[in-house]
């Protein structure tokens, strides 16, 4: 079964074509950017062939998906002979609310339920649904599966997901903590347990997904019991341009001082804060580390603040679970920035987590144990693959039809 995985953003589409019958082998992947703008960009990477890149207008998601499908069957850059070889399509959907506790086959009912959740994820769910409907129009009859970022966190208890606001807002508007990056945390936690020789069903794992978007998840016996992101992906850690945890009084003060409206404040906390806000525009952790080494004050602040926030959450989740067996790092920063991992783990020896600095420095973009052999808590670098999770869920659901 060949599964096309689509991750549709407001102006972008990431995709992979995976052959599930051949060991989940990747056939092609790519990215469309600047959809709906004056000039779009399309990068297509077929396995075993040269990369293809073109700049041209991409009117909408339907036009973008058609470009993807045309590329997949193209004589020169394609990897399949006919679109009939695509047996199913798996979609990343950001928000499943309390409705979707697992991945589902998409029909009219599911589309309406996703549409009803637009208010909870106005930047993501509409684009995700556009991808589903565009695929329906181009390849009618091909089964489609929705895989939700929030589903993995539906096992959180009330004490972890409720906010200390009038309870009626939860009852009527479902305002609560949902958490995101669930697909990644669900993939790396059992992988880490296997790497460490532990039983996922008898383990306490702290999963640190660190990148431009970042979150930490407390995984107890294979289930999410708490996570740093909340009602939106803004809560929790310092991120590329998101502020993370913040005194709400600060927002009120800035809004009044700068005469900002709701939309402006939403843009502010999502796009103008985080590492970008601290440094004055530098977001890439490699550049921030270089700035710190050069003695630049704002880059130093950003580096240290990022690590400190992660360290605090690790301590909090160790307390919440009554201990920890594994601390894992994944995501762009987590998998590659060994210097950031080292800073985060500095001082965690009291938990029983002792990093092997030499092993850590050699570990970039690969799976491996980076704690000392006698460390009670295992520290791991674990590569994530959210697209594979989407493909696996899609395959599992469609093969039962």
């Amino acid at each position: 079964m060949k599964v096309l995985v689509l991750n549709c953003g407001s102006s972008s589409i990431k995709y992979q074509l995976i052959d599930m019958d051949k060991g989940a082998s990747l056939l092609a992947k790519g990215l469309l950017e600047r959809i709906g703008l004056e000039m779009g960009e399309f990068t297509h990477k077929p396995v075993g062939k040269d990369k293809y890149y073109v700049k041209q207008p991409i009117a909408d998601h339907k036009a973008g998906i058609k470009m993807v499908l045309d590329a997949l069957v193209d004589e020169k850059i394609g990897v399949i002979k006919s679109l009939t070889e695509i047996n199913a399509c798996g979609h990343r959907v950001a928000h499943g609310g309390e409705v979707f506790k697992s991945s589902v086959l998409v029909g009219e009912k599911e589309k309406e339920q996703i549409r009803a959740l637009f208010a909870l994820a106005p930047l993501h769910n509409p684009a995700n649904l556009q991808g589903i409907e565009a695929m329906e129009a181009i390849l009618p009859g091909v089964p489609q599966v929705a895989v939700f970022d929030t589903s993995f966190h539906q096992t959180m208890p009330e004490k972890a997901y409720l906010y200390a606001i009038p309870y009626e807002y939860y009852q009527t508007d479902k305002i609560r903590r949902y958490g995101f990056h669930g697909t990644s945390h669900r993939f790396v936690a059992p992988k880490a347990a296997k790497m460490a020789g532990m039983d996922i069903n008898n383990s306490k794992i702290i999963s640190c997904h660190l990148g431009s978007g970042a979150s930490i998840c407390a995984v107890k016996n294979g289930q999410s019991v708490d996570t740093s992101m909340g009602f939106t992906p803004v809560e929790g850690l310092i991120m590329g341009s998101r502020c993370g945890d913040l005194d709400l009084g600060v927002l009120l003060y800035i809004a009044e001082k700068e005469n900002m409206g709701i939309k402006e404040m939403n843009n502010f906390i999502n796009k103008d804060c985080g590492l970008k806000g601290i440094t004055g525009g530098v977001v890439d952790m490699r550049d921030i580390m270089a700035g710190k080494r050069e003695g630049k004050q704002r880059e130093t602040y950003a580096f240290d603040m990022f690590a400190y926030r992660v360290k605090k959450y690790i301590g909090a989740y160790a307390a919440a679970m009554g201990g920890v067996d594994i601390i894992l790092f994944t995501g762009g920063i987590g998998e590659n920035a060994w210097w950031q991992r080292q800073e985060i783990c500095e001082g965690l020896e009291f938990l029983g987590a002792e990093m092997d600095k030499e092993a850590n420095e050699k570990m970039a973009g690969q799976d491996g144990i980076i704690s000392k052999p006698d460390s009670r808590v295992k520290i791991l670098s674990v590569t994530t693959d959210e697209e594979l999770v989407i493909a696996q869920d899609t395959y599992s659901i469609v093969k039962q039809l």
Side-chain angles (χ1 to χ4, degrees), residues 76-387:
K76 292 183 178 180
I77 60 172
V79 292
I80 55 177
K81 292 182 179 180
S82 169
L83 293 179
T84 58
E85 293 184 46
I86 299 176
N87 307 111
C89 186
H91 296 265
R92 178 247 184 173
V93 180
H95 217 306
E98 292 186 326
V99 179
F100 297 105
K101 299 185 185 301
S102 60
S103 303
V104 296
L105 186 71
V106 176
E108 290 302 317
K109 176 185 175 183
E110 288 73 25
K111 286 192 293 181
E112 286 306 311
Q113 289 172 321
I114 292 171
R115 186 174 285 107
L117 293 166
F118 279 7
L120 297 185
L123 299 178
H124 297 89
N125 273 35
N128 303 152
L129 185 58
Q130 282 182 50
I132 291 171
E133 293 179 333
M135 194 67 187
E136 275 183 343
I138 299 170
L139 287 182
V142 173
Q144 301 197 78
V145 171
V147 180
F148 301 89
D149 285 6
T150 52
S151 293
F152 183 60
H153 303 301
Q154 285 295 299
T155 51
M156 287 194 297
E158 288 86 349
K159 63 184 179 182
Y161 71 68
L162 288 174
Y163 284 117
I165 58 176
Y167 187 67
E168 291 75 19
Y169 285 106
Y170 169 65
Q171 291 177 305
T172 59
D173 301 301
K174 296 302 176 185
I175 296 177
R176 49 159 284 183
R177 302 181 67 252
Y178 288 99
F180 298 87
H181 289 148
T183 309
S184 177
H185 292 302
R186 176 160 71 97
F187 179 78
V188 294
K191 183 178 178 180
K194 187 176 181 180
M195 288 169 60
M198 296 182 185
D199 177 8
I200 185 66
N201 298 308
N202 185 29
S203 65
K204 298 170 183 176
I205 299 173
I206 297 175
S207 174
C208 306
H209 180 114
L210 309 179
S212 59
S215 69
I216 297 186
C217 184
V219 185
K220 188 173 184 178
N221 302 330
Q223 294 189 326
S224 171
V225 294
D226 206 345
T227 192
S228 57
M229 285 180 169
F231 181 67
T232 74
V234 178
E235 187 179 359
L237 302 178
I238 295 168
M239 296 171 240
S241 60
R242 298 177 195 147
C243 60
D245 293 338
L246 184 70
D247 179 354
L248 298 180
V250 172
L251 288 184
L252 298 175
Y253 177 86
I254 293 174
E256 185 174 23
K257 181 178 184 293
E258 304 295 340
N259 194 29
M260 288 186 181
I262 297 298
K263 289 184 178 180
E264 291 172 300
M265 287 305 299
N266 187 54
N267 188 73
F268 176 74
I269 61 176
N270 277 284
K271 298 181 179 181
D272 295 333
C273 293
L275 299 173
K276 178 183 177 182
I278 300 163
T279 62
V282 183
V283 174
D284 192 298
M285 188 56 71
R286 291 167 295 187
D287 296 333
I288 290 172
M289 181 58 188
K292 176 182 170 71
R293 286 172 173 162
E294 292 170 12
K296 293 181 179 179
Q297 187 181 60
R298 291 172 69 170
E299 277 81 350
T300 300
Y301 286 157
F303 183 93
D304 293 348
M305 290 167 66
F306 184 92
Y308 183 66
R309 185 75 60 88
V310 175
K311 186 179 301 189
K312 284 207 300 183
Y313 265 96
I314 289 173
Y317 286 166
M321 291 191 293
V324 57
D325 301 311
I326 294 172
I327 299 170
L328 73 86
F329 294 93
T330 192
I333 295 173
E335 295 171 25
N336 296 287
W338 64 264
W339 55 88
Q340 185 60 253
R341 293 192 303 244
Q342 182 172 305
E343 181 70 20
I344 291 166
C345 291
E346 191 76 37
L348 293 182
E349 292 80 9
F350 78 99
L351 283 178
E354 298 182 63
M355 174 171 278
D356 183 329
K357 293 183 179 180
E358 185 176 340
N360 178 51
E361 289 179 17
K362 294 177 181 178
M363 196 67 62
Q366 56 188 311
D367 300 316
I369 296 175
I370 52 177
S371 51
K372 293 180 179 178
D374 58 350
S375 177
R376 184 180 60 77
V377 176
K378 301 301 179 186
I379 308 171
L380 281 72
S381 169
V382 186
T383 57
T384 191
D385 195 336
E386 296 170 86
E387 287 78 14

